[in-house]
Structure formats: structure tokens, C-alpha cells
Amino acid sequence: MRALVLGGGGLTGIAWEWGVIAGLATAGIDLTTADLVVGTSAGSVVGAQLAGGVDPEERYTRQLGAPDSELAARMHPLTTARWGWAVLRARDAHQAGRNLGRVALRSRTMPEKVRREVIASRLPVKTWPERALLITAVDAGSGERVVFDRNSGVELVDAVAASCAVPGVWPPVTVDGRRLIDGGVHSPANADLAGEADVVVILAPIVRGFGPIPSVDRQAAELRAHARVEVVQPDRAALRAIGRNVLDPARRPGAARAGRAQAASEAGRIREVWSD
């Protein structure tokens, strides 16, 4: 089984991932043939579309246009400080999730309904695909990871909105009475969910862990005990294009182009595992 894992990284992460996917497709590597897609935060947006059969080239081209329905945001220094305090005093990922859940629940953000409309505008396909798709979020109360699939009884838009609910920036999403926040709170990519795959390709705009939150490299190393794993992360040119604020829609075109350019240098090693 081949798995594609798509990590979090804001609006620029969405754009960079589409750039990489489209660039690899040009090189003859079709990641849309994955048997399993795992999406976290930005990766949930890309994964929901990719698993639903949307054309990567069309999605890449869309990243180059004006972000009409997107809202600019950034992590306020106070929010960043609260994140750091919440994570560094946590013993494990669950406690980090609870601490960040409190940050999310206490923060004043936009109405949940308005945010849902933004997420819905990103998804040309709003129903769960037949292809195996896992979307991650975190319960703001318990700190536990929540994993949605087509059998969860939750609308795809709500699952993606929950996965993208950055604490302190966007409102928690209410699903079946639970308040849910960004899946990246548990892990930048949640690559461990691809544990049954023989081949795993991870596109990770953000790879580092923080405190008890595991890094992408750590999860990839654990997967390599039984699978062939390749990780693609932004190169120097992509990091420059992405900039400091991953929530800035004006950075999308540059991030997308950088991802596509980077794909040319990544194609050899990705082809080796994906083709096999």
C-alpha cells in the first residue's frame, strides 16, 4: 500500500504542496494514485481535494491567482508566547493539546460560521471520496487526537475546518458537541497514521517538533522500520518564498512556484519509491 502524507503549514503550505504535487506530475510521478491520503491542517485541504479527484494542475494554477475568499492573518506575539508556554509545560502531546485547547477556547476570533465559509470556498469537492482519506484534528477539551474518515458521520467541510483551526487565530470547530482545533497541535503531519503502508511519501511544509510534539523526522524514522519513506520539506528557495507569515495569502503564488521548482530536484528519489 502506498500512502501520501500531507502536513500542516498555513496558506503557503497549501500552495507549496500543490506546487510540489503538480511538479512531480510533470515529471511523470502521479501522487494522486495513493491508496491512502493523510491530511493535517493545510494538508487536509490539499488531501481532501486530491483524494476527491481534483486536477493538481488546476489547483496549482489557482494558487497563482488573487486569493479572493481568503482572510489574511498572522500569529500575534502574545499568541505565540501562549503557544510556547502551553507546549513547554506539557508532559506529552495530549497535555499539549489540552493546554492549547484552553488557549483556543479563551481567544476572541471570528465567528465559526464565517470561518467555515472560507474553508468551504477552498473545496471544489465537498463530499468524502471513495479513496481512503484521514483528516486529523484535536479535541480542545481532552487534548486527544481525532481522526475523521468517510465513515465518521461528519461533513468533509467540517472535518477540514477543524483540522485548520489554529488555536488563538481561528475559532474551534464544533462537531457533535465537541470543540476541535488544528490537527497540527498533535503532530505537524501525523505520519504515524500511515503505519500500515509499505511506501510513504510525506510532504511537510513544517517538519520540526516542539516540546512533546513529535517532529516529522521522528515519525518518519519510526515508519522506516517497515516501510520505504521519503520526506519532502521546503528547500531554501521555498523557505524564502514562504516567508515568516504562513497565513499570508499574498505569499501563495511564490510558495506554489517554489514548490513546483523544487519538485524537479526531488523527482528522482520520489520516483524510485513511488514507482516500485
Side-chain angles (χ1 to χ4, degrees), residues 9-13 73-77 80 169 205-206 208 234 236-252 255:
L11 287 172
T12 55
R74 67 179 306 113
M75 288 282 284
H76 190 278
T80 302
V169 178
I206 296 173
R208 64 186 180 277
R236 289 185 179 181
L239 288 174
R240 287 195 298 272
I242 288 169
R244 294 181 178 274
N245 181 14
V246 301
L247 301 176
D248 183 359
R251 288 280 185 170
R252 290 194 325 177

Side-chain angles (χ1 to χ4, degrees), residues 145-161:
R145 180 171 66 185
V146 179
V147 181
F148 295 111
D149 63 16
R150 64 175 176 266
N151 298 315
S152 299
V154 174
E155 290 189 32
L156 181 61
V157 172
D158 291 322
V160 173

Side-chain angles (χ1 to χ4, degrees), residues 120-134:
S121 73
R122 297 178 185 169
L123 303 178
V125 178
K126 297 178 176 59
T127 57
W128 284 92
E130 290 301 314
R131 188 187 307 274
L133 169 66
L134 302 179

Side-chain angles (χ1 to χ4, degrees), residues 247-270:
L247 301 176
D248 183 359
R251 288 280 185 170
R252 290 194 325 177
R257 292 188 180 99
R260 184 157 203 155
Q262 182 180 347
S265 62
E266 307 287 357
R269 64 189 181 97
I270 303 303

Side-chain angles (χ1 to χ4, degrees), residues 157-214:
V157 172
D158 291 322
V160 173
S163 192
C164 295
V166 181
V169 178
W170 306 122
V173 173
T174 306
V175 176
D176 295 333
R178 305 170 78 180
R179 305 302 303 283
L180 304 178
I181 57 175
D182 199 303
V185 165
H186 186 85
S187 161
N190 291 284
D192 59 304
L193 294 176
E196 295 184 2
D198 306 299
V199 171
V200 183
V201 169
I202 305 171
L203 305 188
I206 296 173
V207 295
R208 64 186 180 277
F210 187 46
I213 299 174

Side-chain angles (χ1 to χ4, degrees), residues 8 14 16 23 30 39 50 64 73 85-86 94 104-105 134 176 191 210 226 259 264:
I14 294 172
W16 176 82
D30 186 3
L50 184 144
L64 307 180
W85 177 247
H94 283 172
L105 294 170
L134 302 179
D176 295 333
F210 187 46
H226 64 271

